[in-house]
Amino acid sequence: YFKKFQYCGYAPHVRSCKPNTDGISSLENLLASIIQRVFVWVVSAITCFGNIFVICMRPYIRSENKLHAISIMSLCCADCLMGIYLFVIGAFDLKYRGEYNKHAQLWMDSIHCQLVGSLAILSTEVSVLLLTYLTLEKYICIVYPFRFLKPRKCRTISILVLIWIIGFAVAFIPLSNKEFFRNYYGTNGVCFPLHSEQSESSGSQIYSVVIFLGVNLAAFIIIVFSYGSMFYSVHQTAITATEIRNHIKKEMILAKRFFFIVFTDALCWIPIFILKLLSLLQVEIPGTITSWVVIFILPINSALNPLLYTLTTRPFKEMMHQVWYNYRQRRSKRGKGSSQKTYGPSFIWVEMWPTHEIAPKLTKPVLCTDSSDASVTTQSTRLNSYT
């Protein structure tokens, strides 16, 4: 009988050891619950497929805002790493199935566990920083349209490279100093350093708090504030525009878009913030909660970002409509022997905003430029064409 489940790993040949699970792993399996074992593969498949699909489809969309497309592809690469992380955890769960306790300590101390945990943190931090950057980019163009802050190619690529460098640094710094961080990633079977309970190393605990309650909480607050300000700006513009019809309906559409983006961020991060605060207050947190956070809650953003930023946007829907139209044309041509011409995609890449008609008249002209738009547009038109 031990105080913690992890100590059973030091006695692999004991016939009966208690406690027999920490909520994440058991004596038999790396993932204790059958639900965890099934959904680790489901969530991994959804995350990888969705992000790879978006990466592969982007080159076939004739994009005006190519710099933004590069940012979205970078975000998909980061989110795809989360799917790979879950896939590796599922694979090692299969490898140790039925005899996990014999390998538990070796697994948590192994370089494989360290690298897998680093991969998860790399995915998480790069995704958070990229979402913050994309949000600030939209915020500046919508709320301050008169500022001539044109996103140049060199600046955009430099920011993306800097974000990835920061992500790598955050993920791999704990591997550089074993004396200070100890086994930073090897505190549980899934190798994720949430540190929801007091760690043996104060360095690990402090570093985890700085990342989750410092960097990530600040990024979450920036995202919520920015989307709130954007919606308020849209609302004020619609009130002063007398020539725009159905502006209430458009406001509701934009509000739904804003709501789902902020809601998925909140759904992902608020539980983690709460767990970190409770751990600082030395509240005992069941391991089952940690496993649910790592397998179900943490990958929410990675799985839904392709849906929010690409698959539900107008250009993607238009492209799929064009593909279906060309397919029907080819079938008709083969069936009737017609020489009817098929047409390639000729739409314009319009990110983020829903598919509805733009008002026929322009109101309140403002100047807002980016890599694809150097003309004078209205703020309402801009909202329907920029992401």
Side-chain angles (χ1 to χ4, degrees):
Y1 294 87
F2 290 114
K3 182 179 179 180
K4 294 182 179 181
F5 165 75
Q6 283 79 3
Y7 296 144
C8 287
Y10 293 102
H13 301 294
V14 172
R15 185 169 55 184
S16 177
C17 185
K18 301 291 182 180
N20 55 13
T21 179
D22 61 351
I24 300 176
S25 305
S26 66
L27 297 177
E28 292 80 20
N29 301 305
L30 192 154
L31 297 175
S33 169
I34 182 64
I35 298 177
Q36 297 171 10
R37 294 198 292 270
V38 170
F39 272 87
V40 72
W41 292 101
V42 173
V43 177
S44 172
I46 292 174
T47 303
C48 288
F49 175 78
N51 287 284
I52 291 174
F53 179 75
V54 170
I55 292 172
C56 294
M57 292 301 295
R58 281 279 166 171
Y60 296 97
I61 300 177
R62 293 169 59 183
S63 171
E64 279 195 330
N65 196 339
K66 295 183 183 300
L67 296 181
H68 184 79
I70 293 174
S71 299
I72 293 294
M73 292 177 68
S74 183
L75 176 64
C76 289
C77 291
D79 291 334
C80 195
L81 295 179
M82 180 59 69
I84 295 173
Y85 158 75
L86 294 174
F87 174 81
V88 174
I89 292 299
F92 275 97
D93 174 63
L94 286 177
K95 180 179 179 180
Y96 298 138
R97 184 67 52 84
E99 53 178 19
Y100 173 68
N101 195 48
K102 294 180 180 179
H103 311 277
Q105 207 57 44
L106 288 175
W107 159 245
M108 289 188 288
D109 292 336
S110 69
I111 188 64
H112 301 93
C113 183
Q114 311 301 311
L115 293 177
V116 168
S118 302
L119 195 68
I121 292 297
L122 173 64
S123 171
T124 300
E125 297 310 308
V126 171
S127 180
V128 167
L129 294 175
L130 280 172
L131 287 175
T132 306
Y133 166 67
L134 292 171
T135 301
L136 290 175
E137 193 178 43
K138 290 191 288 288
Y139 171 80
I140 292 171
C141 191
I142 292 173
V143 179
Y144 301 105
F146 289 104
R147 304 292 177 85
F148 297 92
L149 298 174
K150 183 177 180 180
R152 301 181 183 276
K153 182 177 181 180
C154 182
R155 188 183 71 179
T156 300
I157 294 177
S158 298
I159 291 175
L160 295 180
V161 171
L162 178 63
I163 287 174
W164 278 96
I165 291 175
I166 293 173
F168 273 100
V170 170
F172 290 97
I173 280 177
L175 301 181
S176 63
N177 193 331
K178 289 290 185 179
E179 293 183 2
F180 183 77
F181 292 101
R182 300 289 180 87
N183 192 3
Y184 183 75
Y185 292 106
T187 57
N188 53 55
V190 294
C191 306
F192 191 83
L194 192 56
H195 293 287
S196 56
E197 61 182 31
Q198 293 298 317
S199 173
E200 294 180 5
S201 169
S202 59
S204 297
Q205 189 71 21
I206 294 171
Y207 191 74
S208 179
V209 169
V210 169
I211 297 302
F212 290 107
L213 290 184
V215 177
N216 294 353
L217 181 58
F220 177 73
I221 292 173
I222 290 172
I223 291 173
V224 172
F225 172 79
S226 299
Y227 276 115
S229 298
M230 280 188 276
F231 179 69
Y232 178 77
S233 179
V234 175
H235 178 73
Q236 291 298 105
T237 303
I239 289 176
T240 59
T242 57
E243 299 292 328
I244 297 179
R245 298 179 180 179
N246 300 323
H247 67 270
I248 296 178
K249 183 178 179 181
K250 292 181 180 180
E251 279 190 49
M252 292 304 297
I253 294 169
L254 291 174
K256 289 179 182 178
R257 177 73 68 175
F258 290 150
F259 171 78
F260 280 113
I261 291 174
V262 175
F263 177 73
T264 54
D265 284 336
L267 196 62
C268 176
W269 287 109
I270 287 179
I272 295 177
F273 297 149
I274 293 174
L275 286 180
K276 290 304 299 180
L277 287 172
L278 291 177
S279 68
L280 289 178
L281 298 174
Q282 298 185 358
V283 176
E284 186 175 352
I285 301 170
T288 307
I289 295 178
T290 303
S291 67
W292 278 83
V293 167
V294 172
I295 295 175
F296 296 95
I297 296 178
L298 192 65
I300 284 177
N301 266 351
S302 299
L304 293 183
N305 280 340
L307 184 68
L308 292 172
Y309 287 89
T310 300
L311 303 183
T312 58
T313 56
R314 177 166 63 184
F316 181 80
K317 293 178 180 179
E318 288 180 349
M319 186 191 69
M320 297 308 296
H321 176 76
Q322 188 69 50
V323 169
W324 176 247
Y325 173 79
N326 286 349
Y327 172 74
R328 292 181 62 183
Q329 289 290 95
R330 286 194 295 268
R331 287 192 62 183
S332 175
K333 182 178 178 180
R334 287 196 299 266
K336 298 179 180 180
S338 171
S339 60
Q340 195 172 9
K341 186 179 179 181
T342 59
Y343 299 93
S346 60
F347 50 82
I348 295 175
W349 181 238
V350 183
E351 301 274 359
M352 181 73 181
W353 311 109
T355 61
H356 285 270
E357 293 296 329
I358 299 174
K361 296 183 179 180
L362 301 180
T363 64
K364 192 179 179 181
V366 297
L367 184 61
C368 185
T369 62
D370 63 12
S371 61
S372 64
D373 186 4
S375 63
V376 177
T377 64
T378 67
Q379 207 168 30
S380 297
T381 305
R382 185 65 175 171
L383 289 173
N384 284 277
S385 63
Y386 182 80
T387 172

